Amino acid sequence: MSTDEPGPDAYTARSSRVVNARKLQRRRGRDKAERFLAEGPQAVREAISAGVVTDLFYDLDADTRHSDLIDAAVAAGAHVHPCTDEGLAALAETVTPQGLVAVCRFLDQRLPEDPKLVAVLHGITDPGNAGTVLRAADAAGADCVVFGTDSVDPYNGKCVRSSAGSLFHLPVVRAADTADLLDVFAHAQILAAAAGGDDLYALDAAGDLDAPTVWLFGSEAHGLDEATAALAHRRVGVPIWGRAESLNLAVAAGVCLYASAAAQRRKLEWAHVLRSPRIYPARRVRAGRLADHSSPAGCGRAARLF
């Protein structure tokens, strides 16, 4: 049994284990230790299932409410530490702590071979948006999510919470350079979510969304920079039929990912319908802009995604 009992008293905010774990609230501390924090029963449950929990801190109330998770953590070989309310509050990053904070190992993730659907986040600095995109990608059945150039750390506490456990479900890769990363997906179509792009649903109707696809998403405030958007085969916008001025990044990303996922599944279900395969030529980032593809006429104005 790996339970660490701190004597008659629970750990406080000044206990050395709590002080050391608190360093993981900053990216420098996370990268140095190759550990991060997962807060709340949902995240802790998924982290335990993924086998990455090394330590679990809990308040005395959680000892009763979440005894199953504490037992599961012990069974998985984690050290568990009862804390005072003050001690747990020092580790929690929410206004109302949920009683559980786990220390987790970095997830050793690699890009999957021949992925069908990938989301690439470029310059997305808002951890809430990034985590929600990750959650949408997981729900849509994506094969991978890449945090590219200048994007938030996927192990940021708010990003982990916003992912609602999805961080532990699919490969999440940190890439130093988005452009170089795209070379890995040599035979997938690269679609940039951008204002003024081709109508998403017109492309779907034309059968242009069922191929292996890498979606590029930029920041909500500024979208994709011109150089990165130019790396895509197409720029695609979500049509707005109502009076909204724009769509939230995470909402737009969810719409795009689900459109691709649905098209790819229809293709599998209708495999008896013969169609010549589309081949997307290998591309080199430094070789200049790819040839522009023609697109069907849109039906509605393209959304300002960000």
Side-chain angles (χ1 to χ4, degrees), residues 25-290:
Q25 292 175 348
R26 296 183 177 275
R27 183 164 188 168
R28 176 183 293 183
R30 293 192 293 270
D31 287 342
K32 182 178 181 180
E34 296 188 346
R35 299 286 190 273
F36 68 100
L37 299 178
E39 179 181 347
Q42 173 66 15
V44 168
R45 181 178 294 105
E46 300 303 327
I48 292 172
S49 296
V52 296
V53 176
T54 64
D55 294 83
L56 177 63
F57 297 85
Y58 62 95
D59 62 21
L60 300 184
D61 187 35
D63 193 10
T64 301
R65 290 184 293 114
H66 302 298
S67 60
D68 58 330
L69 292 179
I70 297 171
D71 291 342
V74 172
H79 300 277
V80 298
H81 316 293
C83 296
T84 63
D85 290 345
E86 176 196 25
L88 194 75
L91 292 175
E93 298 181 80
T94 55
V95 175
T96 305
Q98 300 180 62
L100 296 167
V101 177
V103 175
C104 307
R105 291 186 295 272
F106 275 11
L107 301 164
D108 183 15
Q109 304 286 20
R110 297 186 179 183
L111 292 171
E113 295 184 4
D114 301 321
K116 299 296 186 293
L117 185 59
V118 175
V120 177
L121 282 58
H122 178 85
I124 295 179
T125 58
D126 182 277
N129 262 335
T132 305
V133 172
L134 202 167
R135 183 179 182 181
D138 179 24
D143 299 295
C144 179
V145 176
V146 178
F147 284 65
T149 304
D150 296 330
S151 287
V152 67
D153 179 13
Y155 300 127
N156 173 285
K158 186 174 181 180
C159 186
V160 175
R161 293 192 301 276
S162 297
S163 79
S166 289
L167 174 68
F168 304 100
H169 294 168
L170 75 171
V172 177
V173 178
R174 295 194 293 181
D177 187 272
T178 300
D180 288 342
L181 182 281
L182 291 179
D183 283 338
V184 176
F185 307 109
H187 296 291
Q189 63 174 341
I190 313 294
L191 301 181
D198 297 335
D199 185 298
L200 173 71
Y201 295 107
L203 296 183
D204 189 17
D208 290 339
L209 292 183
D210 59 14
T213 300
V214 175
W215 278 99
L216 280 173
F217 301 110
S219 72
E220 181 152 338
H222 307 292
L224 290 167
D225 60 273
E226 183 60 31
T228 302
L231 300 174
H233 294 94
R234 270 178 167 154
R235 304 183 193 209
V236 181
V238 179
I240 289 182
W241 297 304
R243 298 175 62 185
E245 186 271 338
S246 63
L247 285 176
N248 167 266
L249 163 65
V251 172
V255 171
C256 293
L257 290 166
Y258 261 90
S260 287
Q264 291 174 1
R265 279 159 177 72
R266 285 197 302 270
K267 182 178 181 180
L268 291 176
E269 293 170 0
W270 300 346
H272 61 284
V273 179
L274 298 179
R275 176 188 295 168
S276 299
R278 294 187 300 278
I279 303 299
Y280 294 91
R283 49 173 295 284
R284 291 301 303 173
V285 171
R286 312 304 182 195
R289 185 169 180 170
L290 292 166

